[in-house]
């Protein structure tokens, strides 16, 4: 039988305690509750804003809702650049258990899907103090789905957009490219980035420590997609021009080349091609040589392609007529101690013959009749020394010194294209003078159906006269016979100049080009071709650049549906006379 405890007999319980002690304990408990109440009031009322901010800093996030970047289209609506859904892989390194056998096997598979060495993947995950690290950006969507199926704890994805460029290297210098943040870096992507990019939206959410969204906060701001841009470029003309340029650079073992195709009535750029080029979607090992848009950024002395402007001014002012005789004997002329020569003595030429034979001596004798100021004003009006009003990165103005500083010999050399510089785009644009009744028109990269308003340089009569001379220069007895094409009449001028590095000309290095138009009676297109440092023993513009002009003209006019204006085959002499340097 258990003994019962008599608590009343316990000395401890039977002892009397002071009343103040129990009151003191009750008071402490009351103070505790009062402290908790005060703290609750501070957190909920007086200090609420502070704690809201701290909570937001730790758990609230603003998610960016990316806008879909606008498409870049050619003049026929074909896609030159567009955005497709992509995925970017990121990780919380401390959550990835790399030592677990099952995870190790999955990481090997992940590295394969990422096309990344396993060691590189481990390096990205090595710092366990990190709570965020990018693994790889802008993967194809289907690759992202396969990675998600692996179910690796600590590996997450973010939906993004990735640019695709169907025309590849043929249109690379026109279209350009964007970076991983979808911002334009080159070409049209950069020039019209503000219109293409649109405006990103946003959404406020609460995330847990694993980056998972657990609650939305308020209404989000929807993204505004970018605008589509329709260019004047014809993708078929662009591809063909690039292909022929690339082949010619390879045949002549040249350093580089460029082609510009311009609509003679609207100023629209139908093609702008450069070689070497690059693939916009594969830019890991790009060089400056590949990135340079040479048609816009490279300037050179135009050489003989300037002679039509000098002759045009003399015709415009009535100092000469097309049939005016010019004595070029003995094939050279001395101006203030400097000798200017032709390839050989052409004897007595008409003004038309000066252009046809590309005579430096004949051009100099005509230029010496002209005031320097009038030459400078004519060259300036044609766009030389002026930056083309083309919204495109890298456009240069070239160089045309003020006429007051010209010495007589400098006026003479500028008359046939030395002592000033221009880009290939400027040369193509300047020749719109002879295709538009004496008016030079602005070049544009955007599609338009409206004929451009030009700036008058010559009268329509003078423009027609010079155009006939350009036809002679590209015909039998001219320096640009290889520019002729089957079915279409052409006119144009070849040019060749020694390359200048610093203040000196480099022996054995040349630039060759040809600028012209077709059909000659009613020009529809202007084509300019430049080949940089051609080799293999040929370097004259009539031999190296004119054949590219011929093929591009013929194919482009067919694509544009222009009816042939000639029923005869072109008459080409194998050893056409070269233009003088």
């Amino acid at each position: 039988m258990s003994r019962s405890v008599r608590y009343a007999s316990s000395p401890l319980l039977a002892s009397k305690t002071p009343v103040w002690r129990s009151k003191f304990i009750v008071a402490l408990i009351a103070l505790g509750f009062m402290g908790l109440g005060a703290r609750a009031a501070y957190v909920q009322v007086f200090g609420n804003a502070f704690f809201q901010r701290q909570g937001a800093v730790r758990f609230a996030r603003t998610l960016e809702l990316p806008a879909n970047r606008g498409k870049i289209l050619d003049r026929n609506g074909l896609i030159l650049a567009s955005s497709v859904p992509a995925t970017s892989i990121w990780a919380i390194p401390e959550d990835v258990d790399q030592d677990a056998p099952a995870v190790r096997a999955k990481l090997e598979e992940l590295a394969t899907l990422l096309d990344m060495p396993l060691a590189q993947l481990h390096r990205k995950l090595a710092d366990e103090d990190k709570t965020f690290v990018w693994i790889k950006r802008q993967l194809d969507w289907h690759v992202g789905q396969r990675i998600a199926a692996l179910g690796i704890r600590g590996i997450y994805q973010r939906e993004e957009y990735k640019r695709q460029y169907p025309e590849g290297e043929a249109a690379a210098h026109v279209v350009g490219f964007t970076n991983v943040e979808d911002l334009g870096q080159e070409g049209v992507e950069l020039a019209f980035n503000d219109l293409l990019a649109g405006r990103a939206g946003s959404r406020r959410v609460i995330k847990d420590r694993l980056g998972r969204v657990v609650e939305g906060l308020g209404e989000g701001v929807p993204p505004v997609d970018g605008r589509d841009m329709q260019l004047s470029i014809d993708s078929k003309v662009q591809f063909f021009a690039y292909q022929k340029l690339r082949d010619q650079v390879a045949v002549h073992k040249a350093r580089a080349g460029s082609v510009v195709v311009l609509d003679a009535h609207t100023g629209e750029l139908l093609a702008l091609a450069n070689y070497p080029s690059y693939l916009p979607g594969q830019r890991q090992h790009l060089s400056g040589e590949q990135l340079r848009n040479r048609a816009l950024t490279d300037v050179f002395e135009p050489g003989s392609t300037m002679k039509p402007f000098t002759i045009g001014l003399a015709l415009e002012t009535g100092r000469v007529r097309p049939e005016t005789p010019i004595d070029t004997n003995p094939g050279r002329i001395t101006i203030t101690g400097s000798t200017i020569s032709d390839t050989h003595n052409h004897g007595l030429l008409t003004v038309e013959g000066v252009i046809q034979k590309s005579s430096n001596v004949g051009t100099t004798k005509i230029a010496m009749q002209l005031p320097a100021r009038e030459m400078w004003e004519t060259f300036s009006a044609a766009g030389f020394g002026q930056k083309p009003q083309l919204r495109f990165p890298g456009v240069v103005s070239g160089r045309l010194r003020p006429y007051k500083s010209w010495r007589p010999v400098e006026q003479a050399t500028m008359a046939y294209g030395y002592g000033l510089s221009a880009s290939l785009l400027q040369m193509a644009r300047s020749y719109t003078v002879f295709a538009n009744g004496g008016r030079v028109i602005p070049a544009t990269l955007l599609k338009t159906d409206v004929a451009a308003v030009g700036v008058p340089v010559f009268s329509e009569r003078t423009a027609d006269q010079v155009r006939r001379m350009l036809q002679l220069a590209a015909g039998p007895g001219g320096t640009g016979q290889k520019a002729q094409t089957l079915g279409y009449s052409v006119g144009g001028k070849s040019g060749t100049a020694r390359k200048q590095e610093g203040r000196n000309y480099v022996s054995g290095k040349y630039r060759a080009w040809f600028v012209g138009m077709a059909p000659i009676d009613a020009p529809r297109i202007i084509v300019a071709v430049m080949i940089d440092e051609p080799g293999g023993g040929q370097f004259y513009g009539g031999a190296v650049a004119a054949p590219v002009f011929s093929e591009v003209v013929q194919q482009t006019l067919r694509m544009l549906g222009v009816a042939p204006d000639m029923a005869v085959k072109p008459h080409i002499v194998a050893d056409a006379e070269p233009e003088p340097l």
Side-chain angles (χ1 to χ4, degrees), residues 440-461:
V440 63
I441 61 175
T444 178
L445 197 59
L446 300 179
K447 183 181 179 182
T448 178
D449 297 320
V450 180
V453 178
V455 176
V457 179
F458 299 129
S459 66
E460 186 172 349
R461 181 169 179 265

Side-chain angles (χ1 to χ4, degrees), residues 125-205:
L125 299 172
D127 191 348
E128 295 187 355
D129 292 333
K130 287 184 179 179
T131 57
F132 178 92
V133 64
W134 283 115
I135 302 298
K136 196 164 186 178
R137 303 288 299 272
Q138 294 188 342
L139 293 169
D140 290 339
W141 184 257
H142 71 276
V143 175
Q145 299 303 301
R146 293 177 63 183
I147 291 174
L150 294 176
I152 305 175
R153 183 174 177 269
I155 302 294
Y156 305 97
Q157 299 188 28
R158 175 183 172 181
E159 295 180 6
E160 294 183 324
Y161 289 104
K162 177 182 179 180
R163 292 298 262 183
Q164 287 190 339
Y165 303 95
E167 293 301 312
E169 60 185 7
H173 289 102
V174 174
V175 179
F177 56 85
T178 62
N179 60 13
V180 292
E181 302 298 336
D182 221 16
L183 297 176
Q185 301 296 294
E186 291 286 345
V188 171
E189 294 278 31
L190 173 59
F192 296 95
N193 184 70
D194 53 340
L195 299 175
L196 289 165
R199 188 172 63 251
S202 61
R203 177 188 172 203
R204 291 285 290 173
V205 299

Side-chain angles (χ1 to χ4, degrees), residues 44 98 116 174 237 370 375 468 570:
Q44 296 294 329
Q98 300 184 60
M116 176 187 294
V174 174
V237 175
L370 304 172
M375 283 182 59
R468 293 301 168 192

Side-chain angles (χ1 to χ4, degrees), residues 38-50:
R39 180 63 178 171
Y42 174 73
V43 170
Q44 296 294 329
V45 182
F46 302 106
N48 181 260
F50 169 79

Side-chain angles (χ1 to χ4, degrees), residues 21-158:
R21 183 181 295 180
S22 59
K23 291 181 177 180
F24 178 71
I25 293 173
V26 171
L28 288 177
I29 295 173
L31 286 173
F33 277 106
M34 289 175 62
L36 291 174
R39 180 63 178 171
Y42 174 73
V43 170
Q44 296 294 329
V45 182
F46 302 106
N48 181 260
F50 169 79
F51 288 102
Q52 290 280 4
R53 286 195 301 271
Q54 293 301 308
V57 168
R58 288 167 172 76
F59 300 105
R61 296 288 184 270
T62 300
L63 297 182
E64 183 180 276
L65 305 177
N68 191 1
R69 192 173 178 88
K71 294 189 286 290
I72 300 175
L73 310 171
D74 84 338
R75 65 183 303 104
N76 301 310
L78 298 178
I79 294 176
L80 299 176
S82 64
S83 294
V84 296
T87 185
S88 291
I89 310 300
W90 63 279
I92 301 177
E94 62 183 359
D95 290 345
V96 181
D97 188 4
Q98 300 184 60
D99 296 327
V103 175
R104 283 202 301 268
K106 289 182 177 181
L107 288 178
E108 290 180 6
E109 190 173 350
L110 174 61
T112 302
L113 291 172
L114 294 172
D115 192 21
M116 176 187 294
L118 182 60
Q120 183 180 350
L121 176 61
H122 282 305
R123 283 196 298 271
K124 286 179 176 289
L125 299 172
D127 191 348
E128 295 187 355
D129 292 333
K130 287 184 179 179
T131 57
F132 178 92
V133 64
W134 283 115
I135 302 298
K136 196 164 186 178
R137 303 288 299 272
Q138 294 188 342
L139 293 169
D140 290 339
W141 184 257
H142 71 276
V143 175
Q145 299 303 301
R146 293 177 63 183
I147 291 174
L150 294 176
I152 305 175
R153 183 174 177 269
I155 302 294
Y156 305 97
Q157 299 188 28
R158 175 183 172 181

Side-chain angles (χ1 to χ4, degrees), residues 351-382:
V351 171
E352 287 182 333
V354 169
I355 291 292
Q356 183 184 29
K357 300 297 184 182
S358 194
S359 171
N360 287 348
V361 175
T363 305
T364 298
K365 286 193 171 185
I366 294 172
M368 289 298 97
Q369 303 177 42
L370 304 172
R373 178 175 180 175
E374 289 184 15
M375 283 182 59
W376 180 87
E377 288 175 346
T378 299
F379 292 175
S380 295

